[in-house]
Amino acid sequence: MAPPGDPAMRKREAGFTLMEILLSVAILAVIVALVYGAYGGTERIVSSTVNEDRAYRTAGSALSTMAKDLASMAPAGDLFYLRSGGGFFPEAGEELRFLSASTVPFLEAGFPGLSEVRYFLREGREKKGYDLVRREIPHRDSDSRDVEGGGFVLCEGVASLKFLFYRNGEEYEDWDTETAGGETKGKIPERMVLDLKLLNPGNEDRPFSFRTSVFIPLGAERG
């Protein structure tokens, strides 16, 4: 046992020094920073995975519906109707109109025969990207063909939508079966490619990109 007045005993009774306290605070700060960085990294990974999964499901559903519509393209007598171009936001993608024997599930018990299906983009909520809209009317209702409004949203958060057309080995960026003297007048493509890009909340410069190819039986039959 140290005698009274021993310097070592007085040092222990004085408690921690300023240097020891600062060192402890520095070590604690490093530990907190490491834990926070690990948590933040995990949170970013989870958020990125959720956004990617949502985009895949949304794009998959939209492209599946569009592929069904296009594969079911049909003529009205001797009339072949497929037209791309225009739209409200041509910088993001043109609209597409065509005649199809397809119909959306909740309209299967509705009108029989052909429908004119129209795909177009409109401004999304809070001006974040665009909504991809599908509008369907009976082919017999020609008076309502150019009426705006209606339709339902296939997917939201669209960055761009592009259509490519293929016939006899040639690629076309536009198609119009009605333009006199046009190379595509009265003809239907054998295949189409749908190029859909959805906004990426985690990185605006790298949207989610999806592409699918659709074989069109009518185009092959009329080759």
Side-chain angles (χ1 to χ4, degrees), residues 165-177:
F165 309 85
Y166 296 86
R167 182 179 175 85
N168 297 330
E170 297 290 332
E171 180 182 285
Y172 302 83
E173 294 186 353
D174 299 289
W175 200 275
D176 191 345
T177 56

Side-chain angles (χ1 to χ4, degrees), residues 22-195:
L22 292 176
L23 181 60
S24 299
V25 171
I27 293 174
L28 179 61
V30 170
I31 293 174
V32 171
L34 291 174
V35 172
Y36 180 78
Y39 174 77
T42 301
E43 187 178 29
R44 285 192 295 272
I45 292 173
V46 171
S47 178
S48 176
T49 301
V50 169
N51 290 334
E52 187 172 348
D53 178 67
R54 183 184 296 114
Y56 270 97
R57 287 187 285 107
T58 300
S61 177
L63 292 176
S64 177
T65 298
M66 298 174 76
K68 178 184 176 183
D69 288 340
L70 291 166
S72 301
M73 202 178 298
D78 295 329
L79 173 65
F80 300 91
Y81 181 62
L82 172 63
R83 186 175 186 179
S84 67
F88 300 112
F89 305 97
E91 70 281 0
E94 298 178 334
E95 70 173 41
L96 186 71
R97 301 186 185 205
F98 56 96
L99 295 180
S100 177
S102 177
T103 185
V104 292
F106 54 82
L107 293 179
E108 286 181 352
F111 48 83
L114 294 178
S115 300
E116 180 185 299
V117 177
R118 175 187 175 195
Y119 289 110
F120 60 95
L121 300 176
R122 72 183 180 198
E123 192 172 68
R125 292 182 299 179
E126 300 179 1
K127 297 184 179 180
K128 292 183 178 180
Y130 306 93
D131 292 341
L132 170 57
V133 181
R134 181 189 189 277
R135 183 168 182 253
E136 175 184 348
I137 61 172
H139 176 57
R140 62 176 180 268
D141 293 347
S142 58
D143 292 340
S144 61
R145 185 164 299 161
D146 294 320
V147 176
E148 299 299 337
F152 69 93
V153 177
L154 279 182
C155 66
E156 302 176 335
V158 175
S160 67
L161 174 63
K162 186 176 182 180
F163 303 103
L164 294 174
F165 309 85
Y166 296 86
R167 182 179 175 85
N168 297 330
E170 297 290 332
E171 180 182 285
Y172 302 83
E173 294 186 353
D174 299 289
W175 200 275
D176 191 345
T177 56
E178 297 187 322
T179 300
E183 189 176 353
T184 61
K185 178 175 173 57
K187 299 176 182 178
I188 296 294
E190 302 161 353
R191 183 171 65 94
M192 284 182 60
V193 168
L194 314 179
D195 189 329

